[in-house]
Amino acid sequence: DAMVIQNPRYQVTQFGKPVTLSCSQTLNHNVMYWYQQKSSQAPKLLFHYYDKDFNNEADTPDNFQSRRPNTSFCFLDIRSPGLGDAAMYLCATSRGRGDLSNEQFFGPGTRLTVL
Amino acid sequence: AQSVTQLDSHVSVSEGTPVLLRCNYSSSYSPSLFWYVQHPNKGLQLLLKYTSAATLVKGINGFEAEFKKSETSFHLTKPSAHMSDAAEYFCVVISSGGYQKVTFGTGTKLQVIP
């Protein structure tokens, strides 16, 4: 089945230690998104890639970076995690073109704990 | 400017009774509207979507929503609640066009009482 996969599902890191979260998709979608979701809050969009074009939300901290080496994979790098970065991180994709171009398909999320 | 307002942060219903989760939006462009459901520690699952076709949209698990442009609303309903419907529900607006601005509502937590 075509899907959005996130690895790992649970990640524990130490304060200040860089961490990378991974997302892959078999949908061949053009757009990939990263969201941060804290407890009992709505997902907050951090950035998205439209093909290779990177689009950063204005209020996304510099501590968060992303890479998209090919259509299938997208990574979220947190350079120096703080306690406030503990959250669920959701990856999503959308077709980006044509009918139903903006319907988003979500992965199961990675829950990040910062010690 | 684009915004989404989910009028109730918590809704509690008895099993077998109707569900109504309210969503109002504003958008400068012709938006697409979505309802997603999130069970604890899970990702978001699409319930239904409106993309300028029929205004009454049917989704999965017996949910439906009606797009009312005059009221700028997209309320989610279900005739009879099931215990498995207990979850968080998000109304999402995505503007059409070259840059797709995504706006989430703050969510409504649905509790179903046996």
Side-chain angles (χ1 to χ4, degrees):
Chain A
D1 288 340
M3 57 177 60
V4 182
I5 302 161
Q6 290 188 246
N7 285 307
R9 294 291 313 279
Y10 299 90
Q11 176 73 58
V12 180
T13 191
Q14 292 179 328
F15 183 94
K17 184 175 181 181
V19 66
T20 294
L21 308 183
S22 168
C23 177
S24 64
Q25 53 129 341
T26 60
L27 298 159
N28 202 32
H29 282 173
N30 297 302
V31 191
M32 295 187 77
Y33 308 79
W34 278 106
Y35 290 87
Q36 179 193 63
Q37 186 180 26
K38 296 190 176 180
S39 182
S40 300
Q41 295 183 20
K44 178 180 179 298
L45 182 62
L46 296 173
F47 25 59
H48 74 277
Y49 274 95
Y50 196 116
D51 294 329
K52 294 183 179 180
D53 294 331
F54 178 69
N55 298 275
N56 200 32
E57 293 299 301
D59 56 355
T60 298
D62 292 341
N63 196 28
F64 291 87
Q65 305 283 316
S66 186
R67 296 171 283 133
R68 188 179 186 187
N70 54 52
T71 300
S72 301
F73 284 87
C74 195
F75 300 99
L76 170 62
D77 300 309
I78 308 176
R79 293 193 295 187
S80 181
L83 297 179
D85 297 327
M88 175 78 89
Y89 289 88
L90 296 167
C91 175
T93 73
S94 67
R95 193 172 286 126
R97 298 188 184 99
D99 293 342
L100 304 176
S101 62
N102 52 14
E103 176 182 340
Q104 296 195 9
F105 295 78
F106 284 84
T110 295
R111 182 163 294 284
L112 178 68
T113 300
V114 181
L115 301 177
Chain B
Q2 183 168 286
S3 67
V4 180
T5 303
Q6 290 185 242
L7 295 150
D8 306 293
S9 59
H10 288 83
V11 169
S12 184
V13 301
S14 297
E15 189 176 18
T17 64
V19 176
L20 170 64
L21 305 183
R22 297 181 293 167
C23 173
N24 286 92
Y25 73 94
S26 69
S27 178
S28 302
Y29 307 95
S30 298
S32 297
L33 296 122
F34 304 82
W35 275 99
Y36 284 88
V37 60
Q38 186 177 34
H39 288 91
N41 295 310
K42 297 289 177 64
L44 280 78
Q45 180 184 17
L46 180 68
L47 276 179
L48 48 80
K49 55 185 178 280
Y50 167 77
T51 55
S52 77
T55 56
L56 182 61
V57 181
K58 293 188 185 298
I60 63 170
N61 301 336
F63 284 94
E64 62 181 42
E66 186 171 7
F67 174 72
K68 292 186 176 180
K69 188 173 181 179
S70 61
E71 299 177 9
T72 61
S73 69
F74 190 56
H75 301 334
L76 181 70
T77 60
K78 182 173 180 177
S80 176
H82 191 271
M83 293 300 295
S84 61
D85 295 327
E88 184 110 30
Y89 292 78
F90 292 99
C91 181
V92 181
V93 174
I94 302 180
S95 60
S96 55
Y99 180 75
Q100 297 178 347
K101 182 170 175 60
V102 180
T103 305
F104 271 74
T106 50
T108 298
K109 185 163 286 187
L110 177 65
Q111 180 185 20
V112 182
I113 302 166

